[in-house]
Amino acid sequence: MFQTHPVHIRIGLLIATLASALLALWTATIGVQMRRLEGGHSVLAFAQMVAGACLIMEFLFPLLVWQAAAYRGDRAPATVQTLNDLGWLPFLGIACTGVLQGVVIGVVILRDKRPDPPFPRWSGYFNIMCTL
């Protein structure tokens, strides 16, 4: 696949790499809303933002490994396969920060006791269930 469609793979990986920066905006936006819900000492909001920063790196590094696999078409197939495996294993295997984010967001939503909350209560349960 890396030898037959190198241009398409490079373009797709470039778009995914550039778009990974949007995770920072999403993480910051959710973190600010969580801080508003928690108040001054918002440990869970900061935990979510740190986990989001880690998630960006966990998303970005496999993309860069795949870029390296697609960079030169004249590599030995075993080398390309090794790079492909090296990209997939962390991409699928490092889910702990995403899990932490989902649970923390759900907990903060469920702890909000205001009569008109910014996030509906069902979204807290939904976040936790999707994460699990």
Side-chain angles (χ1 to χ4, degrees), residues 2 5-15 67 70-73:
F2 281 95
H5 304 290
V7 175
H8 294 103
I9 291 172
R10 289 180 198 147
I11 290 170
L13 289 170
L14 177 64
I15 291 169
Q67 284 282 19
Y71 185 64
R72 296 184 197 217

Side-chain angles (χ1 to χ4, degrees), residues 83-122:
L83 288 171
N84 188 36
D85 293 345
L86 186 61
W88 275 112
L89 291 174
F91 189 75
L92 297 175
I94 304 175
C96 58
T97 53
V99 169
L100 177 67
Q101 274 187 294
V103 170
V104 165
I105 292 168
V107 167
V108 169
I109 291 171
L110 293 175
R111 285 177 46 186
D112 186 19
K113 302 297 182 196
R114 290 186 271 182
D116 188 25
F119 299 107
R121 193 160 182 77
W122 65 264

Side-chain angles (χ1 to χ4, degrees), residues 67-84:
Q67 284 282 19
Y71 185 64
R72 296 184 197 217
D74 58 346
R75 284 197 175 121
T79 304
V80 174
Q81 183 179 8
T82 300
L83 288 171
N84 188 36

Side-chain angles (χ1 to χ4, degrees), residues 4 7-8 17 23 29 37 66 87 90 94:
T4 57
V7 175
H8 294 103
T17 301
L23 283 170
T29 302
L37 294 176
W66 287 322
I94 304 175

Side-chain angles (χ1 to χ4, degrees), residues 46-59:
F46 288 121
Q48 188 275 144
M49 287 190 265
V50 169
C54 292
L55 184 66
I56 294 167
M57 300 311 293
E58 293 165 3
F59 191 78

